[in-house]
Amino acid sequence: MERTFAIIKPDAVKKGYAGRVLARIEAAGFTVCTLRMIRMSKREAEGFYYVHRERPFFAGLTDFMSSGPCIVLCLEAPDAIKKWRDLMGATDPAKASDGTLRKEFGASIDNNATHGSDAPDTAAFELGYFFRGLELS
Ligand code: CMP
């Protein structure tokens, strides 16, 4: 079993897609270990996306991620990191395959509905950023 970190981003929550995304997560066979609806501060978003701090989209990304409530989740499944990235589809919804979440619910590369960790070390950092140990037991 593997765990990964996921976000249903502010655009998807605002448009009322959270329930449908959760249904797709369950239908795909993930166990939702824990989840929480939060509103990130700009500072928290900057800390979360620290690896992107030099990228030109960093200011817009952290503004967007702190613009409204989002849902943070821990998902568990065999090969969960890859499985969740496959279900999300490409970062840019315009390039995402049919049947993926970003194709269905994303509007643009900035408003792309969901986030997922890209590797085991990233998943460990991202899960630890939002959840305490007891919430993940
Ligand atoms: P996410 O998986 O949350 O990781 C970083 C986010 O930056 C990404 O999804 C996109 O929403 C956003 N982003 C904006 N522009 C780009 C870009 N050119 N390349 C990658 N990510 C981008």
Side-chain angles (χ1 to χ4, degrees), residues 7 9 48-49 52 55-57 61 64-65 85 88 91-92 102 108-116:
I7 305 179
K9 291 189 178 185
F48 178 70
Y49 280 116
H52 294 307
R55 307 287 290 273
F57 56 82
L61 171 64
F64 164 65
M65 291 301 291
R85 291 180 71 79
M88 289 194 298
T91 305
D92 184 350
R102 284 169 166 163
S108 67
I109 194 165
D110 298 307
N111 288 222
N112 63 353
T114 56
H115 167 84

Side-chain angles (χ1 to χ4, degrees), residues 6 11 19 24 31 41 50 54 58 66 81 84 86 91 93 108 122:
D11 58 321
R24 292 281 299 276
T31 298
S41 67
Y50 184 72
E54 308 289 351
F58 184 67
S66 56
I81 294 171
W84 174 236
D86 288 349
T91 305
S108 67
T122 326

